[in-house]
């Protein structure tokens, strides 16, 4: 089998895997619409309402922007596969999707980590909340999150792009994921595998661990409150964030475990898990926050975002 140099990647292509039985289905189209409408509704409401220019809502707008970016990154190939059976994608387009897909996924994790710190300060240090989490601090944190994700994804992209590809060019997913593309390499991938493992440890282990630590501190603070009503109110303020964390990490861990321990599972399993992993947060987060944080929206906006 001949080896193909990366110098001619613009002339090559790979083939994505669709979901059997869902060709021309409206299900995924509706999910994309829910994600786009939901996240684009949150942004102008927070921007135009002065009372929402607070750290909690600014972080929520970052989460909405991240979800919107993730949706628009997967939309072309997702809809192309379902409606036009467009399985083929060029290597350059695949690498571009690789960068934005993993970048926005890592950004989602980083924003949720920042939101956990916001919950911690709001409950454990309420009197210092305004002085600790100023708008300037939140802006700097947003810039730091962007730099963090770009600096993590770029090395993985360059490490993969320098390698030769040969043999089959059929991916197991509907999108260009690192763990899928590396299967097409016909060279030593030890460095890539170690870097991928370190990245996974940071975003699938370290970030959730820090979130858990923040909630341990929150729970300890809440248990010191004698009033059950205040206990319930404090925990209820964090419920939407807890649900968003579960929506992100549970499918992500499931997909990672499947790649490492169920490599010979039917292809449909990998495809469905990948789609759930990438679509669940952008679809569910606007619904979660519209239900749990009703003060974000005027009554006229609530009905639109809840899709009643």
């Amino acid at each position: 089998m001949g080896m193909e140099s990366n110098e001619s990647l613009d002339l090559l292509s790979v083939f994505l895997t669709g979901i059997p039985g869902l060709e021309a289905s409206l299900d995924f189209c509706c999910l994309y619409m829910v994600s786009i409408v939901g996240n684009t509704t949150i942004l102008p409401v927070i921007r135009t309402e002065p009372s929402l220019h607070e750290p909690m809502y600014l972080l929520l707008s970052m989460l909405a922007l991240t979800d919107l970016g993730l949706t628009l990154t997967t939309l072309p190939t997702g809809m192309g596969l379902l409606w036009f059976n467009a399985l083929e994608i060029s290597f350059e387009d695949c690498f571009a999707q690789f960068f934005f897909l993993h970048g926005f996924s890592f950004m989602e994790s980083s924003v949720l980590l920042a939101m956990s710190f916001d919950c911690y300060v709001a409950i454990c240090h309420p009197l210092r909340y305004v002085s600790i989490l100023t708008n300037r601090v939140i802006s700097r944190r947003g810039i730091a999150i962007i730099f963090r994700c770009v600096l993590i994804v770029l090395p993985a992209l360059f490490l993969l792009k320098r390698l030769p590809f040969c043999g089959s060019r059929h991916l197991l997913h509907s999108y260009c994921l690192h763990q899928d593309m590396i299967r097409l390499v016909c060279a030593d991938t030890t460095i890539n595998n170690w870097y991928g493992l370190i990245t996974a440890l940071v975003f699938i282990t370290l970030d959730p661990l820090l979130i858990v630590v923040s909630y341990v501190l929150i729970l300890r603070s809440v248990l010191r409150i004698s009033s059950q009503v205040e206990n319930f109110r404090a925990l209820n303020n964090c419920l939407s964030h807890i649900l968003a964390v579960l929506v992100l990490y549970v499918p992500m861990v499931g997909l990672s475990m499947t790649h490492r321990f169920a490599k010979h599972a039917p292809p449909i399993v990998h495809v469905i898990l990948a789609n759930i992993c990438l679509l669940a947060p952008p679809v569910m987060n606007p619904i979660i926050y519209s239900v749990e944080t009703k003060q974000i929206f005027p009554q006229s906006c609530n009905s639109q975002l809840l899709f009643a």
Side-chain angles (χ1 to χ4, degrees):
M1 188 70 66
M3 184 179 297
E4 292 160 336
S5 170
N6 286 8
E7 295 177 358
S8 58
L9 284 182
D10 55 329
L11 303 177
L12 301 178
S13 59
V14 292
F15 296 90
L16 303 171
T17 299
I19 303 179
L22 288 181
E23 293 81 2
S25 171
L26 291 175
D27 296 339
F28 275 86
C29 184
C30 291
L31 291 177
Y32 277 113
M33 287 300 299
V34 169
S35 174
I36 292 173
V37 173
N39 288 294
T40 52
T41 301
I42 289 176
L43 295 172
V45 171
I46 294 178
R47 181 180 179 182
T48 57
E49 181 56 49
S51 63
L52 300 181
H53 294 174
E54 299 178 2
M56 171 185 175
Y57 302 112
L58 294 178
L59 288 170
L60 179 56
S61 66
M62 290 184 194
L63 186 66
L65 279 171
T66 302
D67 286 334
L68 192 59
L70 193 58
T71 299
L72 296 178
T73 299
T74 60
L75 179 63
T77 53
M79 289 294 95
L81 282 169
L82 292 174
W83 286 91
F84 307 106
N85 197 32
L87 301 176
E88 190 173 1
I89 180 174
S90 70
F91 261 107
E92 290 301 326
D93 290 342
C94 199
F95 280 125
Q97 188 180 59
F98 166 99
F99 174 78
F100 288 107
L101 191 55
H102 287 284
F104 282 120
S105 296
F106 296 154
M107 201 175 296
E108 181 112 4
S109 175
S110 301
V111 173
L112 289 176
L113 177 58
M115 294 177 80
S116 71
F117 181 73
D118 173 82
C119 291
Y120 164 75
V121 176
I123 293 176
C124 300
H125 304 283
L127 299 180
R128 299 173 57 197
Y129 181 79
V130 177
S131 61
I132 293 176
L133 293 176
T134 63
N135 289 348
R136 187 175 183 181
V137 170
I138 295 299
S139 300
R140 288 179 176 178
R141 187 167 296 177
I143 295 173
I145 287 173
I146 294 174
F147 274 102
R148 180 196 190 205
C149 296
V150 170
L151 292 177
I152 287 288
V153 177
L154 275 181
L157 178 64
F158 290 139
L159 285 172
L160 184 62
K161 201 168 183 179
R162 70 184 175 85
L163 297 173
F165 292 83
C166 62
S168 172
R169 295 197 299 272
H170 289 269
L171 299 176
L172 296 177
H173 299 297
S174 307
Y175 316 106
C176 298
L177 301 174
H178 177 266
Q179 57 266 40
D180 200 6
M181 293 182 67
I182 204 169
R183 295 172 45 255
L184 310 184
V185 173
C186 49
D188 184 16
T189 59
T190 302
I191 298 177
N192 300 70
N193 292 331
W194 275 107
Y195 189 82
L197 178 61
I198 293 172
T199 303
L201 288 175
V202 170
F203 287 97
I204 301 182
T205 304
L206 181 60
D207 282 7
L209 180 61
L210 293 175
I211 291 174
V212 170
V213 169
S214 69
Y215 274 102
V216 169
L217 297 175
I218 289 171
L219 186 60
R220 188 179 67 173
S221 178
V222 168
L223 292 177
R224 293 175 179 175
I225 303 174
S226 57
S227 172
Q228 292 186 353
V229 175
E230 292 298 324
N231 285 342
F232 176 78
R233 184 179 301 172
L235 292 176
N236 187 61
N237 289 338
C238 298
L239 180 58
S240 54
H241 179 260
I242 294 172
L243 293 175
V245 169
L246 293 176
V247 166
L248 174 65
Y249 287 113
V250 171
M252 187 183 294
V253 171
L255 180 62
S256 179
M257 293 299 101
T258 302
H259 273 287
R260 296 186 184 280
F261 303 111
K263 295 180 180 180
H264 302 293
I268 186 65
V269 174
H270 295 277
V271 175
I272 291 177
L273 279 176
N275 280 276
I276 292 175
C277 186
L278 296 174
L279 277 176
V283 171
M284 293 303 301
N285 285 341
I287 298 174
I288 291 171
Y289 278 96
S290 68
V291 172
E292 294 296 329
T293 320
K294 294 183 177 66
Q295 63 265 37
I296 296 177
F297 303 96
Q299 291 299 320
S300 59
C301 293
N302 266 338
S303 59
Q304 178 184 359
L305 186 54
L306 290 174
F307 309 103

